[in-house]
Amino acid sequence: MKPSDKLLIERVLASLNRVAVVFADEALNLHYINPYGFELFDLAVPDNHSPEQSIFSTDTPVKLPDAVIERISHEISQHQHDFIAEFNLGKQGSAEQQKILQFYIAPLPSLLGISSFSDNLKKNKATQKPGYLFQVYDITESEATGKRLQQAKIAFESAAEGIMIMDDKTRIIAMNKGFTDITGFSEDEMMGEIPNVFHGEKYDAVFYQSLWHNLKYEGYWRGELWNTRKNGEQYSEWLTLTTVKDRQNNVVNYVGVFADISELKHSQNRLNELVNHDSLTGLPNRTLLNELLSHAIKRAEREENQLAVLFIDLDRFKAINDSLGHQVGDKLLYEVANRIKLAVRESDVVARLGGDEFLVMMDMIKHKQDVELVTKKIIKALQTEFVIDGRDLFIGASVGIALYPEHSIEVDGLVNAADIAMYHVKNSGKNSHCFYSADLSKNANELFMMENHLRRALERDQLEVYYQPQVRIKDGKIIGAESLLRWRHPELGMVSPAKFIPLAEETGLILQIGEWVLRESALQASRWAHAGYDLNRVSVNVSGVQIQRSNFADTVYGVLIETDCNPRLLELEITESTVMHNTEFVISVFNRIKNLGLKLAIDDFGTGYSSLSHLKRLPLDKLKIDQSFVRELPGNADDAAIANAIHAMANSLGFNVIAEGVETEAQAAFLLDMGCEIAQGYLYSRPVTATQFTALLEAERVKNKTE
C-alpha cells in the first residue's frame, strides 16, 4: 500500500467523531482504536501515545473496561454481532456516566490486514490470528429522546384531562382519550372541527378580544367555560390554551388542555351553602346575614327608608333540649324556622344565629306599627303547641327590635341593639317584644356587671342562706324552715333575689349556686337535729333549670352522702311552672328523689295552671298557696274562693297545704278556719340568718320547758 493511502486511511479513521472504530484480537486485546474511541469509553491515553497515534502494539497497556469486555464476550458467544448495551463509564477518579452504546461487530480472519497501513503495528503471531472490527455508536441521547417521546405519548393517552392539538387555523388534528371521556365525542367526529371556544357566536366580543390578545402576546390563555357534551348536558370546564411557534416565530399549532370541573363546582357551591347557611334549618347564617344586612343598610340609606332587625330568642327551649335530647331539639328548631318564615313578609330575611336564636331583617319599613304587627304574628305563631315525635311541646319567644337609622346605622350596632332589647324582654317576663332604647343599654351594662360580680360571689363568700320559720297556725310553734338565698355585696349591699336569681338561671350559674344552697341547708338541718331541736324539715327552693339541665337526682344523692344528712329532714320546693313543661321528665326526676326519702312540694301553687291529671301523677307531699292569693284575705272573695279550692283539691289528693305571705292575724284566722294548719310570713318572722333562727328555736324550747 502506498504511504499516501496509508495516511489517508489513518486520517479517515481518526477523523470519525461519531463512531468508535476498534480492532481487537480474539482475546479482545486492543490493536487499534481511533481518538473518538478513547473519548467514548473514557480511556486514559498512555504517556507514550498521542490521540493522533491510533495504532499501537499488543503490549500497550490500553484495554476496554471490564464490563464492556464481559458484555462483548457474551454477545459473541451467542453469535450476536449487533446489540445495544447500557454501561456506567468513567475514568478512574471521576464520576461515572451512564451511556447507551450500539455495537456492530465484524469478525476478521486475521489482523494482518491492518498492518499493511501502519508501521507501528509489528507483525507477530497475534496479528496472524483472527480478530474483530468494532463499530460503536453512542445512542444515549437518541434513546433518551425516544423514551421521552414514549412517555409523552403514554401521558397524552392516559391523561384524565382532555387534550386537543389544533393547527394554525384552530382545527383539531389530534386528541386524546380524555377528550372523548369528558365530551362524549370520538376522534372521527372531531377531526378537522373547530372547538366551541373559538366559535364566534358562543361568547361576546370582549371575551374573544381578551382570548386572542393573550394567545398572541402572552402565548397562552386560561379560564373557566361552560361547554356541552355530545348528549346535550352542560358542564363546566377549566381550559388552558397554548400557542406553539416554529423557529421563525410563526404559529404552527394550538394546544388545549381542559378538565371537567363540574363536580368541583358542585362541591364549591355546596361549601358556599354550608359556609353561608345553617345546616339544620337551611336559613342564612350569621355570615350571610351580615352581608345581606350590609347591603340592605346601603339601600335604605340611598332610598331613605327604615330598616328593622328583630332578634328572636326562644323561651323554654333549653329545658326541652336538655331533657328530651338534641334530636328532639333539632326537630323543634326546624319547625320554628318554618313558622317564622310563614309569619313574616315574603321580602323579609329570616336567619339563624345559632342555638335558639333567630333574626329577622325587614327592609322598606314605612311605619313602626308594621314591624310590631309582624313581631306579634311571630310570637303568636310560636305560642301554638308543636307536635314533635308524638309530644306536645310549648315554647314562647322574646323579641327585641332595633331600627335603622334610629338606633344604629351599622350592622353590628343594629344586631347588638336588638339583642339588648331582647334581653330586656327576657328579664321582664318573656314571651313579648320590646323596641330598643338608650336606657336598655344602661340596664344591659348593669346586668353585665352584676353577672361578673355574681360569678365571684361564691368564691368570695358573699352568699348566705337565710331561714324563714314555717309555723303551726293554731299555736305558733315552729315546725319547719324555708331556705332563702341572700347576696351581700361589699359595694352593692344586699342585692334583691328578684334581680340575681333570674340572672343566675339565664347564665347557668344557678346550677353551682343551687347545689351550694342545698348543701348548706342539709348541713344546717343536721346541726339543728343533733342539737335536739324539734324541727320537722328544711324546705329548699329548686330552680327549673336545675331540674332540666343537670342530673339533679344524682346531685341530691351526692349532697346527702357528703353531709350525712337524714333525707327526711329535707323538702324540695319546685315551682308549678317547672312541672308544666316536660312533665314526663319531671315525674321521673321526682320519683328518683322521692325514693331517696325526701319530701316534695309545689311552690307558688295557683299561678301556673297545672292540670289535675299531672298533679295526680306527681309524688308530691305538699302544696304551697301562693302569697298573691293570701295578700287580700279575708276581704277578697275571689282570693278566698281560690284558697278554699286549692285546699279542698289538696286534701282530695292527699297533699298537705301551707300558705305563704301571711302578715296579719286575720289572714291566719281565715286560713285556720279553712282548714289550713301551716303558714309562713312576716306575721311570724322575716327570713333570718342561721344563728338568729337557732335563737328562735332555743327561745321556743325554753318557753316550752317553763310551761
Side-chain angles (χ1 to χ4, degrees), residues 341-365:
K341 286 191 291 185
L342 290 173
V344 302
R345 304 173 307 175
E346 189 175 347
S347 60
D348 298 335
V349 174
V350 181
R352 183 184 175 211
L353 301 183
D356 60 351
E357 294 180 338
F358 295 82
L359 191 141
V360 175
M361 182 188 75
M362 301 176 61
D363 60 358
M364 304 292 290
I365 300 299

Side-chain angles (χ1 to χ4, degrees), residues 65-76:
D66 292 341
V68 176
I69 293 174
E70 183 179 345
R71 181 61 183 270
I72 293 173
S73 298
H74 172 75
E75 297 294 339
I76 291 175

Side-chain angles (χ1 to χ4, degrees), residues 82-301:
D82 178 2
F83 64 90
I84 296 174
E86 188 173 322
F87 301 99
N88 290 321
L89 301 175
K91 295 178 182 178
Q92 187 174 3
S94 63
E96 292 184 341
Q97 181 182 3
Q98 190 177 60
K99 292 183 179 181
I100 300 174
L101 306 180
Q102 186 167 22
F103 289 78
Y104 294 98
I105 303 175
L108 298 175
S110 75
L111 296 179
L112 288 174
I114 65 170
S115 63
S116 62
F117 64 85
S118 177
D119 296 330
N120 294 327
L121 186 62
K122 298 177 180 178
K123 295 179 177 61
N124 53 34
K125 292 182 179 180
T127 62
Q128 297 173 10
K129 295 180 179 180
Y132 300 96
L133 167 63
F134 303 150
Q135 296 180 61
V136 187
Y137 297 88
D138 185 354
I139 61 171
T140 304
E141 186 174 344
S142 61
E143 281 292 307
T145 301
K147 188 175 182 179
R148 285 194 295 270
L149 289 173
Q150 181 64 19
Q151 290 171 341
K153 181 180 179 181
I154 294 172
F156 180 81
E157 290 300 332
S158 62
E161 293 82 3
I163 303 175
M164 53 185 175
I165 301 174
M166 296 155 280
D167 61 18
D168 60 336
K169 307 298 183 183
T170 70
R171 293 183 294 254
I172 295 177
I173 59 175
M175 52 182 265
N176 70 339
K177 183 176 180 294
F179 186 107
T180 301
D181 292 341
I182 294 174
T183 67
F185 290 103
S186 67
E187 187 172 357
D188 291 340
E189 292 172 309
M190 293 306 299
M191 284 299 101
E193 297 293 328
I194 297 176
N196 286 340
V197 67
F198 295 109
H199 286 181
E201 72 278 2
K202 192 74 176 177
Y203 303 98
D204 59 27
V206 175
F207 170 83
Y208 286 106
Q209 183 179 0
S210 172
L211 183 148
W212 286 112
H213 180 275
N214 276 48
L215 287 176
K216 182 176 181 179
Y217 296 103
E218 303 292 335
Y220 71 93
W221 177 91
R222 64 170 58 99
E224 181 182 329
L225 299 171
W226 281 98
N227 213 333
T228 307
R229 306 187 206 276
K230 183 178 179 180
N231 62 9
E233 178 188 353
Q234 295 285 311
Y235 72 97
S236 181
E237 70 177 26
W238 182 260
L239 172 65
T240 299
L241 293 171
T242 304
T243 304
V244 180
K245 297 181 179 181
D246 59 16
R247 293 182 179 180
Q248 286 73 41
N249 207 33
N250 296 316
V251 175
V252 292
N253 293 105
Y254 295 101
V255 177
V257 180
F258 61 95
D260 183 351
I261 59 171
S262 301
E263 198 65 35
L264 176 62
K265 292 289 289 183
H266 176 75
S267 299
Q268 286 178 338
N269 292 337
R270 179 59 181 154
L271 180 60
N272 290 334
E273 186 76 15
L274 293 174
V275 169
N276 293 307
H277 290 80
D278 173 49
S279 59
L280 174 63
T281 63
L283 297 177
N285 60 14
R286 187 184 295 270
T287 302
L288 181 56
L289 171 71
N290 287 344
E291 184 177 342
L292 295 174
L293 188 52
S294 177
H295 290 315
I297 288 174
K298 292 176 182 177
R299 186 168 59 251
E301 179 183 12

Side-chain angles (χ1 to χ4, degrees), residues 365-412:
I365 300 299
K366 298 298 182 183
H367 305 288
K368 199 173 183 179
Q369 291 81 357
D370 297 336
V371 180
E372 200 161 16
L373 178 63
V374 171
T375 303
K376 289 179 179 179
K377 285 179 62 179
I378 293 172
I379 294 174
K380 184 178 180 180
L382 299 181
Q383 283 177 330
T384 307
E385 71 272 14
F386 290 82
V387 181
I388 306 294
D389 293 343
R391 295 184 176 92
D392 290 343
L393 303 179
F394 294 87
I395 60 171
S398 298
V399 184
I401 308 168
L403 299 175
Y404 167 91
E406 181 179 346
H407 300 140
S408 179
I409 59 174
E410 297 178 346
V411 171
D412 290 341

Side-chain angles (χ1 to χ4, degrees), residues 27 45 103 115 130 132 168 177 196 274 307 317-318 354 382 391 418 472 581-582 603 625 629 643-644 667 684:
V45 180
F103 289 78
S115 63
Y132 300 96
D168 60 336
K177 183 176 180 294
N196 286 340
L274 293 174
L307 184 150
F317 172 78
K318 286 184 174 63
L382 299 181
R391 295 184 176 92
R472 196 163 53 205
H581 301 106
N582 199 3
D603 193 13
I625 301 175
F629 303 122
N644 271 295
Q667 291 169 345
Y684 307 104

